[in-house]
Amino acid sequence: MTNSPIVRMCLLCLLLISVVACAAAVAAEPGEAQKKAAAQAAPAPTAAPKPAPAPADPAALSERVVALERENLVLREDLGKARLDARTQLNELEKRQAKEAADFQQKIDALNADLQAERARQARRSRNMWIAIGVLAVGLIAAQ
């Protein structure tokens, strides 16, 4: 279970979220906005211009892009497998629930049939008892 693609995807997402949160926390120190606003309002006269960043190495960038594309492909495959596994488990669960519902319905039908038969027996007994009481009453009346 710990090696399932879903667990790996969740762990990867949590790692990514924590990295982004840490980067945001480091980038936004308290008071930084005020410092920026003060610097823009009155720039320091002794501040030397920052040198332009060196152009990125195209070969390194292309290698990084290729590595990211490979990682993206692997993650897509893992996601596809996780979706397929989830869909399969859901289908199995639905089949199991449908079977259980059918079994319960069979039990309900059987109990309803038993109840109907018991009602018919009770009605027959009651009818026979009232017939017997009627015959006894007619016999008592005839005997007097």
Side-chain angles (χ1 to χ4, degrees):
M1 185 77 183
T2 58
N3 288 334
S4 73
I6 294 173
V7 172
R8 286 187 284 184
M9 289 298 294
C10 288
L11 290 175
L12 183 63
C13 288
L14 287 174
L15 179 65
L16 182 62
I17 289 170
S18 64
V19 167
V20 169
C22 289
V26 168
E29 292 180 8
E32 187 173 315
Q34 290 82 4
K35 290 177 187 176
K36 272 188 180 179
Q40 288 176 353
T46 59
K50 293 184 180 179
D57 182 24
L61 285 177
S62 65
E63 287 178 18
R64 181 68 180 145
V65 167
V66 169
L68 288 173
E69 287 175 350
R70 283 190 208 136
E71 185 177 349
N72 187 21
L73 181 63
V74 169
L75 291 175
R76 281 187 186 180
E77 289 174 356
D78 287 347
L79 180 61
K81 289 176 185 177
R83 284 182 178 169
L84 181 62
D85 290 344
R87 201 174 305 129
T88 303
Q89 289 174 355
L90 183 62
N91 288 341
E92 289 173 2
L93 181 63
E94 287 175 351
K95 287 178 186 178
R96 197 175 324 130
Q97 286 178 343
K99 184 178 182 289
E100 288 174 1
D103 291 344
F104 281 130
Q105 188 60 46
Q106 275 186 326
K107 289 178 184 178
I108 290 170
D109 292 343
L111 289 173
N112 283 336
D114 291 344
L115 182 62
Q116 188 67 26
E118 183 62 31
R119 285 184 185 159
R121 281 193 295 273
Q122 289 293 335
R124 197 171 33 254
R125 284 182 193 149
S126 178
R127 187 181 64 239
N128 288 341
M129 182 183 74
W130 285 110
I131 290 172
I133 290 173
V135 169
L136 183 64
V138 170
L140 285 176
I141 292 173
Q144 289 181 354

